[in-house]
Amino acid sequence: MTWNLNDLFNNNNKTCLILLNCPINNWDLFNRLWSTASLKICLDGGANRLLEASRKHSNPSNYLPDYIIGDFDSITEESRSFYNNDVTLIKDEDEYSTDYMKSFKLIPLDHSVVTFGGLSGRIDQTIHTLYYTRKEQVKRDLPICIVSENNVAISLSPGHHTIQLKTDTFGKCCGVLPIGTKSAKITTKGLKWDLGGPGLEETGFDSMISTSNHLDSETIEIETDEYIYFNVEFKNDFL
Ligand SMILES: Nc1ncnc2c1ncn2[C@@H]1O[C@H](COP(=O)(O)OP(=O)(O)OP(=O)(O)O)[C@@H](O)[C@H]1O
Ligand SMILES: Cc1ncc(C[n+]2csc(CCO)c2C)c(N)n1
């Protein structure tokens, strides 16, 4: 598979943006993802974040998601009444699935997914984001990217991946993260410290995890036998 991470910001008619209940500190970044997405879903308190940020930076009537879904313990009355007429609100009080899990029921399998937020804040929520993103990745051939304030994590299925990224958007720091798997055999090309050579055949919590690695090319090749994440930082002056 070839993933062009610059496509995060290019128009694509089958991309879903999921807005979690996380701060929108970088309106420009959020706005670029919003303009790219064809389907937009707010999770519960994510609607408050959208209303607040779009009021501050623009006109909230131009920022209407397709759905707001969740148990509605976080959405305010004000957000509810603002979005009530134009947006489909789905209240689902199931106590055995999170709002993030509920949102994927609305996303066709032929859509790529960009999750905005979910990597910082409460650690149980962060682990849940990584856990459930992988569960959904198993069902899809298209990527799920988790975009947070300063970096993007892309979920990779077993196989060979070519990741393209431009140095005007992405900084050099990156990681190859075997999260949710005991160990993985990974080979890479295009990183300063490539995996796969002597002493670096295996990656996992019992062996070695490649963090604080650096991009050495605008094309990165990753071959993995397990589901993993690859993360890369946004460039400082891009943010
Ligand atoms: N502090 C946080 N850190 C990371 N992700 C978060 C955080 N808070 C919320 N989220 C994400 O936003 C979604 C909506 O959160 P919200 O606070 O509106 O509801 P919640 O009741 O806390 O979440 P849930 O019902 O899913 O447990 C959550 O499902 C989670 O994916
Ligand atoms: C083993 C187990 N742990 C936690 C929960 C609680 N829980 C998980 S998802 C969810 C909904 C949040 O909106 C809640 C309350 C559970 N049910 N089962």
Side-chain angles (χ1 to χ4, degrees):
M1 280 303 166
T2 297
W3 310 125
N4 188 337
L5 279 188
N6 308 297
D7 281 351
L8 275 173
F9 309 111
N10 292 330
N11 276 326
N12 181 336
N13 52 14
K14 285 188 177 172
T15 299
C16 176
L17 178 67
I18 308 175
L19 174 57
L20 307 190
N21 185 11
C22 292
I24 305 176
N25 290 329
N26 186 336
W27 175 254
D28 191 40
L29 172 66
F30 174 76
N31 193 29
R32 289 170 77 164
L33 296 171
W34 179 274
S35 319
T36 308
S38 52
L39 177 65
K40 292 140 191 141
I41 302 175
C42 275
L43 305 192
D44 198 355
N48 308 333
R49 308 283 188 167
L50 178 64
L51 183 59
E52 190 192 345
S54 60
R55 265 193 187 139
K56 188 168 162 200
H57 298 279
S58 181
N59 175 356
S61 306
N62 296 335
Y63 289 85
L64 300 174
D66 297 281
Y67 299 100
I68 300 172
I69 187 164
D71 53 3
F72 289 4
D73 61 351
S74 304
I75 190 169
T76 59
E77 263 317 308
E78 188 191 9
S79 304
R80 255 173 116 135
S81 64
F82 180 82
Y83 291 113
N84 205 24
N85 292 334
D86 303 302
V87 176
T88 306
L89 274 67
I90 304 173
K91 184 171 180 176
D92 179 343
E93 290 180 292
D94 177 27
E95 291 192 328
Y96 292 85
S97 58
T98 62
D99 297 339
Y100 190 47
M101 292 158 97
K102 287 164 193 166
S103 69
F104 275 92
K105 291 190 215 139
L106 302 168
I107 309 174
L109 287 175
D110 65 352
H111 279 51
S112 50
V113 177
V114 176
T115 297
F116 188 86
L119 290 182
S120 54
R122 263 171 52 194
I123 190 165
D124 61 327
Q125 298 277 33
T126 303
I127 297 289
H128 176 74
T129 305
L130 294 166
Y131 150 77
Y132 198 69
T133 297
R134 178 197 147 149
K135 271 230 185 268
E136 284 295 327
Q137 187 65 72
V138 172
K139 304 179 196 166
R140 291 159 201 269
D141 291 330
L142 293 161
I144 306 178
C145 287
I146 308 166
V147 177
S148 68
E149 270 173 50
N150 34 24
N151 68 137
V152 47
I154 175 167
S155 147
L156 299 177
S157 311
H160 183 270
H161 304 271
T162 304
I163 299 169
Q164 286 164 340
L165 13 75
K166 288 205 177 123
T167 47
D168 60 357
T169 306
F170 296 96
K172 62 180 181 180
C173 287
C174 64
V176 186
L177 310 173
I179 296 169
T181 180
K182 188 156 166 37
S183 89
K185 287 192 175 57
I186 303 171
T187 40
T188 65
K189 271 189 210 151
L191 302 182
K192 182 165 181 189
W193 295 277
D194 271 321
L195 303 185
L200 298 171
E201 298 92 348
E202 196 87 24
T203 160
F205 280 72
D206 287 339
S207 47
M208 173 277 306
I209 297 183
S210 175
T211 56
S212 303
N213 210 323
H214 290 174
L215 304 180
D216 214 16
S217 163
E218 291 198 329
T219 303
I220 309 298
E221 308 275 346
I222 302 182
E223 173 97 37
T224 173
D225 67 344
E226 288 287 347
Y227 286 88
I228 59 166
Y229 286 92
F230 174 69
N231 77 288
V232 58
E233 65 177 349
F234 286 116
K235 206 170 179 173
N236 267 344
D237 54 11
F238 173 76
L239 293 174

